[in-house]
Amino acid sequence: MCSMAAILSPTTNPTVQIGSRVATPIIRIPSAALRTVRSVYRHDASGGFNPSASFFPGAVGSSRSDWQTSCAILASKAADDNKPSSDAVSGGDAAPDAGEANGKHHLSSAPAAVNGHKPPTNASTTLDLVPIANLPRPLTIADLSPAPMHGSQLRVAYQGVPGAYSEAAAGKAYPNCEAIPCDQFEVAFQAVELWIADRAVLPVENSLGGSIHRNYDLLLRHRLHIVGEVQLPVHHCLLALPGVRKEYLTRVISHPQALSQCELTLTGMGLNVAREAFDDTAGAAEYVAANGLRDTAAIASARAAELYGLQILADGIQDDSGNVTRFVMLAREPIIPRTDRPFKTSIVFAHDREGTSVLFKVLSAFAFRDISLTKIESRPHRHRPIRLVDDANVGTAKHFEYMFYVDFEASMAEVRAQNALAEIQEFTSFLRVLGSYPMDMTPWTANSSPPPSTSCSSSSSSSSSSPPRRD
């Protein structure tokens, strides 16, 4: 075997003369002499040792606990090395000094090196280690699993602050749940996806303000499933600080939907106030209370007045007493559809063909099977907003491409619903089932007026004139 000097010595290459220049030989080191050097620990930018930065796979002591254990062993060895041997002190002839009288020994010898580094002579060899019990507890499978449905408290995310109508909807959907407030709708979706919450309760439409398009877009963007719905009557109140009179108000703040739902009532009260939009109703009440605004009122719920110490100047100020908001419950996994109770299914689809015949065929798939549609909502296609149609005589026509959201009263466990979707899939370029879930069958509260009941007359007429079912 050749020596390292011979390996590292340059190979003999004859000099080559090119014109008036002479090329110098190139020193080449064989690849067999190269070795990969792996450092067990990594140092930080300041030159000191940073144990939290050691993440070399396969290295000895690559974790923080291993490093602390190694340091503890080294510290004990260093303490043993610093102890005086039996030869250093004669058999009891030497009298102990003041330090020995207190149980401490002053050593004249220099402290031993620890981990290859020799500390200063005036430094102690005792290492201040952080107890492992004080370190953050690592995540376990229990932290990444949904809360049990029986006997445990569900974590339900909602948009807004405590006192919002979404919080009341979460409590109605899941009694005794742990409500988790979120500042945005997007955050509520992410809270469920990241296992921070088990469910999310978000509004999708209001009887006065219509659909909440932001949440329809988020339903398509995220992969959560609708597992239920709940309808909540909205009861607005005019809130202000204690002692404030309506005549001295100059501003009213609330969510834009709440301001529009109370516009006629505020005008009829003779209030000459400016109306300013806020993120949410309960947030407006919290803002008035936190800043001590005596010239500003908020439109929010009675629970918000109780939480933030405000007085109710006027109760039930919505223009329509039948103001209802529909919420949907979202989860990471869909529920198993059943047929023992009324179910509703939500889908979204798009088609890439021209004309209105495609949409007619899609709706006919439900009509021929006697499936009632409760909602149809169209939203522009984000990825393909414009469809161009060229005509040699007229020119280029530009049309919007749409996504269609449809809710129908049937369970995916029914054969007619499965056959309807199978037929729809032939005419659509995109089809997705957002969820099949139980309908909200809870009775209406006393202070809310029920919607007009026309189901009997509609069902009787449809049974006589409807085409035969095609399953």
Side-chain angles (χ1 to χ4, degrees):
M1 181 181 296
C2 58
S3 62
M4 183 59 67
I7 293 176
L8 297 180
S9 62
T11 58
T12 306
N13 294 330
T15 60
V16 180
Q17 184 171 358
I18 304 175
S20 59
R21 295 177 297 174
V22 177
T24 58
I26 301 175
I27 299 176
R28 300 183 181 275
I29 302 176
S31 59
L34 300 179
R35 296 291 185 269
T36 302
V37 180
R38 295 182 179 271
S39 175
V40 176
Y41 299 114
R42 179 167 50 188
H43 293 74
D44 55 14
S46 61
F49 174 70
N50 184 6
S52 61
S54 59
F55 295 101
F56 294 94
V60 178
S62 57
S63 64
R64 181 181 177 91
S65 59
D66 293 340
W67 171 79
Q68 289 184 335
T69 304
S70 301
C71 290
I73 295 175
L74 291 174
S76 61
K77 289 183 178 181
D80 293 339
D81 294 340
N82 291 335
K83 289 182 179 180
S85 60
S86 58
D87 298 337
V89 181
S90 58
D93 293 339
D97 56 7
E100 293 173 337
N102 295 331
K104 298 180 181 179
H105 297 274
H106 293 281
L107 303 178
S108 59
S109 60
V114 178
N115 202 18
H117 299 278
K118 187 174 183 180
T121 56
N122 57 352
S124 174
T125 58
T126 303
L127 300 179
D128 295 328
L129 301 178
V130 178
I132 298 180
N134 296 339
L135 296 177
R137 183 180 61 85
L139 293 177
T140 63
I141 191 63
D143 300 317
L144 301 179
S145 60
M149 291 297 296
H150 303 285
S152 291
Q153 202 172 23
L154 279 180
R155 299 162 297 180
V156 181
Y158 68 93
Q159 189 274 333
V161 298
Y165 293 105
S166 296
E167 184 195 31
K172 181 180 180 181
Y174 301 103
N176 301 321
C177 69
E178 178 186 355
I180 301 177
C182 303
D183 59 349
Q184 300 176 18
F185 292 125
E186 176 83 20
V187 177
F189 277 84
Q190 293 179 357
V192 179
E193 290 180 334
L194 298 177
W195 299 80
I196 300 174
D198 304 301
R199 300 287 188 273
V201 175
L202 298 173
V204 290
E205 58 181 335
N206 179 263
S207 58
L208 300 181
S211 300
I212 302 175
H213 298 134
R214 175 59 177 167
N215 284 335
Y216 276 99
D217 295 338
L218 292 175
L219 282 173
L220 188 59
R221 179 181 303 177
H222 295 269
R223 301 300 299 180
L224 299 182
H225 303 269
I226 303 178
V227 295
E229 67 172 0
V230 61
Q231 298 177 1
L232 183 74
V234 177
H235 194 78
H236 291 309
C237 301
L238 186 64
L239 311 180
L241 291 175
V244 174
R245 300 174 59 181
K246 294 183 293 184
E247 294 79 9
Y248 299 106
L249 295 176
T250 61
R251 183 176 60 163
V252 174
I253 62 175
S254 188
H255 190 273
Q257 287 288 341
L259 292 174
S260 63
Q261 294 169 9
C262 304
E263 182 177 2
L264 297 179
T265 304
L266 292 177
T267 304
M269 294 173 61
L271 299 179
N272 186 17
V273 294
R275 298 166 175 84
E276 297 183 8
F278 211 79
D279 293 338
D280 57 271
T281 56
E286 181 187 27
Y287 181 78
V288 172
N291 295 275
L293 304 178
R294 304 192 64 84
D295 61 342
T296 304
I299 298 177
S301 62
R303 172 171 165 77
E306 179 183 355
L307 289 176
Y308 303 112
L310 300 178
Q311 65 172 343
I312 300 177
L313 297 179
D315 191 5
I317 62 174
Q318 62 271 7
D319 298 337
D320 191 343
S321 58
N323 186 11
V324 182
T325 300
R326 175 173 171 252
F327 295 80
V328 293
M329 292 98 82
L330 305 175
R332 289 178 293 271
E333 300 293 337
I335 61 175
I336 300 177
R338 306 195 310 264
T339 58
D340 57 346
R341 59 169 300 178
F343 258 63
K344 182 184 293 185
T345 302
S346 299
I347 64 172
V348 56
F349 65 88
H351 65 84
D352 54 358
R353 302 181 186 180
E354 301 178 13
T356 58
S357 60
V358 175
L359 184 58
F360 172 77
K361 293 177 181 178
V362 170
L363 299 181
S364 299
F366 295 106
F368 282 125
R369 294 172 175 85
D370 197 20
I371 299 178
S372 301
L373 301 183
T374 60
K375 181 179 178 61
I376 180 170
E377 176 80 18
S378 62
R379 293 287 293 155
H381 202 305
R382 284 183 171 269
H383 302 291
R384 293 185 305 170
I386 297 295
R387 176 168 56 90
L388 303 179
V389 180
D390 293 330
D391 192 322
N393 298 325
V394 180
T396 302
K398 294 173 284 294
H399 303 279
F400 265 65
E401 289 284 353
Y402 289 97
M403 306 287 294
F404 294 92
Y405 295 83
V406 173
D407 295 344
F408 58 90
E409 294 182 348
S411 171
M412 285 302 299
E414 302 180 47
V415 178
R416 57 173 183 156
Q418 299 172 8
N419 293 338
L421 293 187
E423 182 178 345
I424 291 172
Q425 201 168 11
E426 300 177 1
F427 310 109
T428 59
S429 59
F430 169 78
L431 175 63
R432 176 181 164 189
V433 178
L434 299 175
S436 186
Y437 47 92
M439 296 176 58
D440 183 12
M441 306 297 292
T442 57
W444 288 82
T445 56
N447 57 355
S448 64
S449 59
S453 177
T454 57
S455 57
C456 295
S457 58
S458 300
S459 60
S460 59
S461 60
S462 61
S463 60
S464 59
S465 60
S466 60
R469 290 174 54 179
R470 186 174 61 185
D471 293 338

